[in-house]
């Protein structure tokens, strides 16, 4: 899996490519933990994400707790 992070002002875009599963979800956990406190909004782009397991969904939910309400979006879900 590849994780591409792009910062624009106070919004972070995280594009995921490949498979988000038990073996790759710790990589996403690390990237989420490294998000600066100045970031107010996070947007996940799933355009090139081929597969997501329950372990991957758990990491998305952890991020959702950190960025509640309209501060987190998931786009390009197939």
């Amino acid at each position: 899996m590849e994780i591409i992070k792009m910062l624009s002002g106070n919004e972070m875009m995280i594009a995921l490519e490949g498979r988000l599963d038990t073996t790759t979800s710790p990589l996403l956990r690390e990237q989420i933990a490294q998000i600066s406190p100045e970031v107010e909004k996070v947007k996940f782009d799933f355009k090139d994400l081929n597969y997501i397991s329950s372990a991957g969904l758990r990491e998305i939910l952890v991020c959702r707790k950190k960025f509640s309400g309209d501060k987190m979006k998931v786009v390009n879900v197939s």
Side-chain angles (χ1 to χ4, degrees), residues 1-5 14-17 24 27-29 31:
M1 180 179 74
E2 186 173 351
I3 302 171
I4 302 163
K5 294 183 350 183
I14 302 174
L16 304 177
E17 297 180 4
T24 59
L27 301 172
L28 181 59
R29 183 180 318 129
Q31 294 298 314

Side-chain angles (χ1 to χ4, degrees), residues 14-46:
I14 302 174
L16 304 177
E17 297 180 4
R19 296 175 55 91
L20 180 55
D21 55 23
T22 305
T23 58
T24 59
S25 62
L27 301 172
L28 181 59
R29 183 180 318 129
E30 289 176 18
Q31 294 298 314
I32 291 170
Q34 293 175 5
I35 295 175
S36 169
E38 289 83 32
V39 173
E40 295 178 9
K41 295 184 179 187
V42 172
K43 186 185 297 184
F44 286 95
D45 187 350
F46 283 5

Side-chain angles (χ1 to χ4, degrees), residues 28-70:
L28 181 59
R29 183 180 318 129
E30 289 176 18
Q31 294 298 314
I32 291 170
Q34 293 175 5
I35 295 175
S36 169
E38 289 83 32
V39 173
E40 295 178 9
K41 295 184 179 187
V42 172
K43 186 185 297 184
F44 286 95
D45 187 350
F46 283 5
K47 179 181 154 199
D48 295 317
L49 186 66
N50 300 325
Y51 174 80
I52 185 168
S53 72
S54 59
L57 288 172
R58 179 178 55 238
E59 299 308 324
I60 299 299
L61 290 174
V62 167
C63 187
R64 177 71 174 161
K65 287 183 181 181
K66 187 174 181 179
F67 296 95
S68 61
D70 65 344

